[in-house]
Amino acid sequence: RNSDRWVDKFLYKLAQEIRTPITSVKAMTELIQDNPDMEETMREKFLSNIIKETERLSHLINQVLTLEKYDSGAYKLNLASEMLNDMLEQAIDTIMPLAKERNVSIKNQIPDTQYLLSCDRGLILQVLINLLSNAIKFSNQDAGEVSIFISNSDQDITVCISDNGRGIA
């Protein structure tokens, strides 16, 4: 069956995604344990990386649990008419402390035109905040910049969030 193959592929990919942070955490923890006289700055760096990897692992698990809730029907979308511009402004306000902490400027190029969507506001906000947070984290460390703009066609609205980081090959 197609659905069985899809589930198998999904579970394989999920196992791969979960294995990576676990392996990383284990290796860094062993290095700290095996080197009690490790420099404090190196120890702090490893501990910071361990925290980041466990956060990533937690995020992956939460994503799977959320998918399961949708699939089982335990979670229903709370659809309502929402203004995209307002949700973007709220997402920007939410991540602004992170941007300031990392010295990243945010270029908000959202037009005055209001875009009305039928959506689950909480879920869309979560996606926007995640995208903005990632853009901030991966922007240029010396002069970080994140840009946000909206483009639209007859039937589609596209939110573009970009950063000036080195990118992914």
Side-chain angles (χ1 to χ4, degrees):
R1 284 189 193 166
N2 268 348
S3 63
D4 289 342
R5 274 188 245 126
W6 184 88
V7 168
D8 288 344
K9 278 184 174 179
F10 174 77
L11 291 174
Y12 177 78
K13 178 79 170 151
L14 178 64
Q16 297 264 98
E17 289 292 322
I18 290 174
R19 186 181 302 141
T20 303
I22 288 174
T23 302
S24 179
V25 166
K26 184 176 185 280
M28 287 183 283
T29 305
E30 286 173 348
L31 281 170
I32 292 170
Q33 184 180 31
D34 294 344
N35 298 293
D37 55 345
M38 179 184 288
E39 282 184 33
E40 189 62 29
T41 54
M42 186 62 75
R43 180 183 302 275
E44 290 296 321
K45 183 177 180 179
F46 281 150
L47 291 172
S48 176
N49 287 339
I50 289 169
I51 290 169
K52 288 176 187 170
E53 289 298 292
T54 56
E55 286 172 351
R56 187 164 72 117
L57 185 57
S58 178
H59 178 73
L60 286 167
I61 292 168
N62 286 337
Q63 285 180 315
V64 171
L65 293 174
T66 300
L67 282 174
E68 193 282 325
K69 285 179 190 176
Y70 286 116
D71 191 47
S72 70
Y75 187 91
K76 302 286 184 209
L77 293 174
N78 296 315
L79 296 178
S81 292
E82 301 286 348
M83 291 294 198
L84 175 59
N85 306 54
D86 295 343
M87 289 186 290
L88 276 166
E89 291 292 337
Q90 184 178 348
I92 292 167
D93 289 345
T94 300
I95 57 91
M96 193 54 77
L98 176 65
K100 286 181 180 176
E101 177 186 309
R102 295 187 179 236
N103 207 24
V104 173
S105 66
I106 297 180
K107 292 175 76 177
N108 181 349
Q109 301 169 351
I110 302 169
D112 291 334
T113 306
Q114 293 292 317
Y115 297 97
L116 185 64
L117 306 176
S118 176
C119 64
D120 185 314
R121 183 181 183 91
L123 292 177
I124 296 298
L125 272 172
Q126 181 180 352
V127 168
L128 293 171
I129 291 168
N130 288 347
L131 290 171
L132 287 166
S133 295
N134 285 340
I136 290 168
K137 287 177 191 174
F138 296 107
S139 64
N140 186 307
Q141 291 183 0
D142 297 325
E145 184 177 284
V146 172
S147 298
I148 307 160
F149 65 95
I150 298 174
S151 64
N152 69 317
S153 63
D154 292 338
Q155 296 179 354
D156 296 321
I157 299 171
T158 303
V159 176
C160 298
I161 300 172
S162 61
D163 62 72
N164 67 342
R166 63 186 174 127
I168 300 170

